[in-house]
Amino acid sequence: MATAPEKPASTSQLDLVLTRTIDAPPALIWKAWTDPEHIKKWWTPAPWTTVECEMDLRPGGIFRTVMRSPEGQDFPGVGCFLELVENERIAWTNALEPGFRPATNDAASEQDLDCHSLIFTAIVTLEEQAGGTQYTARVLHKDEAGRKRHEEMGFHDGWGKCLDQLAALMARLKG
Amino acid sequence: MATAPEKPASTSQLDLVLTRTIDAPPALIWKAWTDPEHIKKWWTPAPWTTVECEMDLRPGGIFRTVMRSPEGQDFPGVGCFLELVENERIAWTNALEPGFRPATNDAASEQDLDCHSLIFTAIVTLEEQAGGTQYTARVLHKDEAGRKRHEEMGFHDGWGKCLDQLAALMARLKG
């Protein structure tokens, strides 16, 4: 059985990618990523907040968050982890529910312009780089329409702001 | 990070389960399961045949087969592996394509009564038992309609016949 890190099949027309150098070692970012209390501090672009987070850190384990809008509306999201390689890689999807069950997200709900109904797999990789970390988030969509919709919803601004928040948290944790 | 075997969330109304005691050790069944040349001998209930099989045995790796009907029509199916624990457990799904990309199977194709469009995750477990193996296949559907459709298509007969073929192959390999 192959044990080398899986290089995900990537088709640029279907993927969105965000990369950033963060001034903290992979182990510290891993900690911020895998502790629900830390996740709440950076996961959602302010003034939105993450008010709940549940993680079972194993393949098929639950990854559930509740995001709250500035108006106080809650947006729950649930999926499961696919791969966890400590300090290196985290993959999760909302195409599967916990325990790997196919999700009930259907085409109808995908037509909804609510970003929380968007189906994707995300693969975050952490690569050590001169004392810091090259952080890359690759988001895989099923088709070009999904990628386009996600992009138009402000993927780069939203996920980028979260990365700023993660970098700020790293600075506080190191300080 | 937890390393204990994942017990999949199971809801009997959504799942189909087939279990059988096979007179061969888990390691031999594992071999029959993970070698494409062996898979072709038992994967499809005769007189159907499996004419192609491609496997990349790692999480996110491709699992692709082409089944041929007695009339000569080919039915390709593709998905990816989710978990591989040698001699113990194999999980795969067609809700994700290789590299974990959400599959393009949509609600429209699911309406199709062709069984090859059915979306599921399957988890096969091998438990050593007095020299033989308790073989359990649990198939997880997204909803009760999916389970019911799969059952009406002849899940128990079809998957059961494949298990007979696997048991027969085991007897030949041992003999």
Side-chain angles (χ1 to χ4, degrees), chain B residues 20 33 64 83:
Chain B
R20 184 84 53 98
W33 227 112
R64 184 182 69 86
E83 264 199 310

Side-chain angles (χ1 to χ4, degrees), chain B residues 105-113 117-119 142-143 146 149:
Chain B
N105 295 315
D106 57 21
S109 70
E110 271 206 278
Q111 299 307 318
D112 186 350
L113 279 183
S117 64
L118 200 75
I119 295 173
K142 66 166 74 176
D143 53 27
R149 200 178 317 137

Side-chain angles (χ1 to χ4, degrees), chain B residues 1-171:
Chain B
M1 199 171 6
T3 53
E6 166 80 351
K7 289 288 180 192
S10 152
T11 309
S12 60
Q13 291 87 343
L14 306 184
D15 299 347
L16 289 168
V17 180
L18 197 70
T19 190
R20 184 84 53 98
T21 303
I22 297 180
D23 185 24
L28 201 59
I29 296 176
W30 180 266
K31 192 172 159 53
W33 227 112
T34 55
D35 178 336
E37 290 311 308
H38 281 317
I39 277 268
K40 290 182 189 170
K41 296 173 191 150
W42 68 270
W43 180 253
T44 313
W48 285 60
T49 54
T50 300
V51 292
E52 288 183 40
C53 176
E54 185 182 356
M55 301 177 135
D56 181 9
L57 297 167
R58 56 175 133 188
I62 192 168
F63 182 27
R64 184 182 69 86
T65 57
V66 177
M67 297 191 273
R68 184 166 293 168
S69 76
E71 295 75 29
Q73 194 181 350
D74 285 352
F75 294 85
V78 70
C80 77
F81 290 107
L82 296 167
E83 264 199 310
L84 294 146
V85 182
E86 195 167 356
N87 302 341
E88 289 182 22
R89 192 169 62 257
I90 301 168
W92 81 101
T93 189
N94 60 5
L96 298 178
E97 295 175 6
F100 295 134
R101 183 180 304 283
T104 46
N105 295 315
D106 57 21
S109 70
E110 271 206 278
Q111 299 307 318
D112 186 350
L113 279 183
D114 183 317
C115 66
H116 308 287
S117 64
L118 200 75
I119 295 173
F120 62 82
T121 293
I123 302 173
V124 166
T125 52
L126 309 176
E127 291 170 272
E128 187 152 19
Q129 205 176 57
T133 300
Q134 182 76 22
Y135 183 107
T136 303
R138 177 179 295 277
V139 183
L140 290 69
H141 304 85
K142 66 166 74 176
D143 53 27
E144 210 169 329
R147 181 201 58 72
K148 191 161 177 282
R149 200 178 317 137
H150 206 173
E151 193 167 30
E152 288 169 355
M153 277 168 196
F155 167 83
H156 290 284
D157 275 0
W159 287 52
K161 193 162 182 179
C162 295
L163 266 191
D164 292 342
Q165 295 172 173
L166 174 60
L169 174 64
M170 291 297 95

Side-chain angles (χ1 to χ4, degrees), chain A residues 55-94:
Chain A
M55 300 177 136
D56 181 8
L57 296 167
R58 57 175 132 189
I62 192 169
F63 181 27
R64 185 182 69 85
T65 57
V66 177
M67 296 191 273
R68 183 167 292 167
S69 76
E71 296 75 29
Q73 194 182 352
D74 284 351
F75 294 85
V78 71
C80 77
F81 290 106
L82 295 168
E83 263 200 311
L84 294 146
V85 182
E86 195 166 355
N87 301 341
E88 289 183 20
R89 192 167 64 255
I90 301 168
W92 80 101
T93 189
N94 60 4

